[in-house]
Each structure stands twice: as structure tokens, then as C-alpha cells.
Amino acid sequence: MTTTVDHAHPALAPITLGGLALRNRYAVAPMSRVSARPDGTPTGEMADYYAEFARGGFGLVFGEGTYPDTATSQGYLNQPGLANDEHVAGWRVVTAGVRAAGGRMIAQLMHAGAISQGNPHREHTVGPSAVKPLGEMMRAYGGSGPWPVPRELTAAEIDDVVEGFAAAAERARRAGFDGVEVHAANGYLLDQFLTDYTNQRTDEYGGPVANRIRLTARVVSAVAKAVPDLLTGVRLSQTKVNDFAYRWPGGRADAEVIFAAVAEAGADFLHIASEGRNWLETAKLADGGTITALARKVTGLPVIANGGMHDLAQAHEVLTGGHADLLSLGHGALANPDLPARVAAAEPLAEFDRAMVTPAVTVANARRWRESRQA
């Protein structure tokens, strides 16, 4: 990992994302911390956690995966929501802290679908088809054992999902967010519709990739129409939390259909996730190009790259080589909440320590880790 660089690193250059002026091209990636109150309301500890990134120089901060409704969308116990007025009030404190420190914040709306492992509102899970998810529930997020077989969503329930995202986007505006990102990546519900082996439908949402991306496009369109004054983005990935090996079966052809569909639906930016993998590992196409560069070419929209962007040499290549416009960092941001300030000062970066998220990914666990290091 390259940890020192001169002051002219391209990630430090300001950029305008849609109509949102950002002080640099560094973004904190959405990372589930399961640290909200049991009812889904963000806490003061969460407000401190997010504000620290803005104080450290990050221009953009993404909120963690946030459930939009109290039906079937919640994925984890103690996951934050944007499903009621109490959630709005809690998030308003978070966004105010980020903005006061010079950052901007985008809400990520997430429907867990078949890989929900903690939803007090429903005992069953739902998905595009009654297909048991691969792997097992994630212990770091409070789960254990195999996933249940989800119940297939009806056409009317799919409409409810779309409406739920749109209503939550309006709450995001009231909560002070600068934008909304539709989470269509990493194996959650919208990605389950996009994935060929979890989507066995024979209606307009199943079959060819143009049909499988239809629900994501509908959600993006509904969100963009609900909050035309906010940014609307979409997060996509090939890999999943329960399947690191998956790639879109049609390769470049599938990617072109997917990217064009979400752009036509009204997305202002695309955020391509790597699910804990290095960007190049998950972004490289068979012809030598990258998924992120292809997204820029197909859509003409800003693209955010993710995966190992704390490596300054790789980050430099991604930005100057035409692969992406912004960088989102997960582990690198956790280890260095002041990473942009360190890069600007040519100071070395700290290595990520997995103990920060072990045995649980909570904010409290990371705080205890810091306190133990300082003792």
C-alpha cells in the first residue's frame, strides 16, 4: 500500500457532483454499523461517528444502509431507518454535524430482501423468487445459521417497495441529507432482482437483463421524482456479501444495459461497489477495460469507485486514468477518519485493524478499540 504522496494528489481537487460542490473527491463509503436504537432511530454516538469524517476532511459522507419502511426492508437489528418522523429527527442531528464540519451527506436507502437477518416487523423474508440465498447469515451483524427461503414478491408488493423508497427519500430531504443513494448492490433486494440465479421470475421483472434491472430503474425514477432538489444516485456491484465470486454473466453487454437503464431513469451518479475487494479485482473486464470506466462512457455521469482507494497510487490511477470521478473508502476511512487531511499533509496512513469491527461492526466496538490503543 502506498501511504505517502505529494500535495498534488488528484483526490484533493474539488469537484461538483450534480449540483453539489464538494471540497475534494474523497467519500466515506456506506458501512453498516448496526448502532441505532432498537426502533431504528440514530443516536448521538452515530452523530459523533459521522461528523468525525467530515472534520477529517472528507468532502462527502454516505450514510449506512438505511431501511425505508417497516414492512420487509429491514436487514439487521439496530439498523437505522428512514421510515418515520422519529428517524427523521435522529438523522437531522447527524446531517447537521456533518455539514457543520464542512462535509455533505447522502442517505443510502436499502431493502434487504431475502438476506434480511433481523427484522422485528416481520418473521418472513421476501425476494424476487423463492430461492434460498447462498451462504449463511453474518455473525458480525448479529446473525447465525442458514438464510431462510424468501417468499416471492407479488406485483402489488413490488409497487409497495417502489413507493417505500420514494417516501423514504422525502424523509431524507426533511432529515437534511444532500442526496439519496438507491442501494442496488451487494446482494440486497434490488440486486437479487438483477442476479440471474436469485431471479427466476417469468414476468416483466425476470428473464433478460433488461427486465432484471427494471425494478432498480423504477426505484431510481421514483426517488428522483420525489426529491428533484436532491441528488439521486445508485450503488451497483457484481459481488455480494454472500457471493464474492459472482460477476454479471453477460459481462460488458450486461453492464451496458444496466448502466443505461439507471441513467435513463434519472440517476445523477453511479457508485460501483467492490464488497471488501480491491477495485481492480472486481472492476476489470475480460477485454482489459474496467466496469467503472465503462459506466462513465455509457452514461456520461460521474462515477464513484470503491475498493482499496486508501492506496494512493491506485487512487491516482483511477482518477487520472479515466476510471472514475470520485473515490469511496471503507476500511481506509475507518482506520483514518482524517485521511484527506493526512494526504494533504503528506503524512503516513494507518493500517486497518480488523479488531475495529470484531466481534461486531458497531460504533461502540470501534470506540473501545481506540480506547484500548490509547491506554
Side-chain angles (χ1 to χ4, degrees):
M1 180 179 72
T2 304
T3 58
T4 58
V5 74
D6 64 60
H7 293 229
H9 196 286
L12 298 175
I15 188 172
T16 298
L17 181 63
L20 191 64
L22 303 173
R23 58 189 173 189
N24 55 48
R25 294 165 190 252
Y26 278 122
V28 178
M31 294 177 279
S32 293
R33 304 314 303 269
V34 290
S35 297
R37 296 209 309 250
D39 67 355
T41 303
T43 65
E45 185 175 50
M46 288 173 60
D48 292 340
Y49 161 76
Y50 281 111
E52 184 179 16
F53 294 116
R55 290 193 298 268
F58 281 93
L60 183 61
V61 178
F62 281 95
E64 61 205 273
T66 301
Y67 62 88
D69 61 57
T70 54
T72 55
S73 65
Q74 186 169 345
Y76 309 110
L77 297 178
N78 299 110
Q79 178 187 4
L82 263 170
N84 56 45
D85 289 343
E86 288 75 18
H87 296 163
V88 170
W91 277 118
R92 193 178 292 128
V93 176
V94 178
T95 60
V98 170
R99 184 171 289 108
R104 295 293 179 263
M105 192 166 187
I106 290 177
Q108 188 192 67
L109 299 181
M110 178 189 112
H111 192 306
I115 60 171
S116 171
Q117 61 181 47
N119 183 353
H121 308 291
R122 293 289 185 277
E123 292 185 357
H124 65 275
T125 59
V126 298
S129 304
V131 175
K132 182 184 172 110
L134 297 179
E136 293 190 343
M137 297 183 190
M138 294 170 281
R139 293 184 180 277
Y141 296 89
S144 64
W147 306 98
V149 176
R151 179 175 59 73
E152 181 174 309
L153 285 165
T154 67
E157 288 172 326
I158 290 174
D159 291 342
D160 290 340
V161 167
V162 176
E163 292 172 7
F165 272 93
E170 292 175 338
R171 295 187 197 100
R173 177 206 281 129
R174 291 197 284 121
F177 285 99
D178 298 289
V180 173
E181 178 175 86
V182 174
H183 197 352
N186 305 130
Y188 297 105
L189 180 70
L190 301 185
D191 189 37
Q192 291 159 26
F193 270 81
L194 179 56
T195 300
D196 56 355
Y197 68 78
T198 53
N199 184 346
Q200 299 180 359
R201 301 178 74 95
T202 57
D203 60 7
E204 67 267 35
Y205 297 102
V209 68
N211 285 358
R212 288 184 277 114
I213 193 61
R214 189 185 303 274
L215 178 56
T216 297
R218 281 193 63 192
V219 170
V220 170
S221 177
V223 167
K225 290 175 182 176
V227 288
D229 51 328
L230 300 187
L231 284 178
T232 296
V234 58
R235 196 176 208 220
L236 297 160
S237 72
Q238 299 192 86
T239 54
K240 313 174 190 309
V241 296
N242 62 328
D243 185 355
F244 295 144
Y246 185 78
R247 300 292 185 273
W248 293 330
R252 174 180 285 269
D254 277 9
E256 290 176 346
V257 172
I258 292 164
F259 297 150
V262 296
E264 185 177 353
D268 294 309
F269 67 86
L270 278 66
H271 186 178
I272 311 300
S274 294
E275 189 47 57
R277 297 314 192 250
N278 183 274
W279 162 78
L280 192 58
E281 179 184 340
T282 56
K284 198 164 188 177
L285 295 166
D287 60 10
T290 63
I291 283 284
T292 49
L294 181 62
R296 294 179 83 228
K297 178 181 178 181
V298 169
T299 67
L301 296 172
V303 171
I304 304 174
N306 169 257
M309 294 305 158
H310 56 280
D311 184 315
L312 301 184
Q314 176 170 263
H316 193 286
E317 168 59 23
V318 168
L319 292 175
T320 61
H323 299 284
D325 304 276
L326 294 94
L327 315 169
S328 74
L329 291 80
H331 288 168
L334 290 180
N336 303 272
D338 59 346
L339 184 142
R342 289 190 181 214
V343 174
E347 295 178 356
L349 304 182
E351 295 279 354
F352 172 72
D353 184 348
R354 188 154 292 279
M356 295 179 71
V357 293
T358 306
V361 299
T362 61
V363 173
N365 186 77
R367 174 176 47 78
R368 286 190 293 268
W369 174 86
R370 284 201 186 99
E371 290 171 352
S372 70
R373 301 275 293 200
Q374 294 167 356

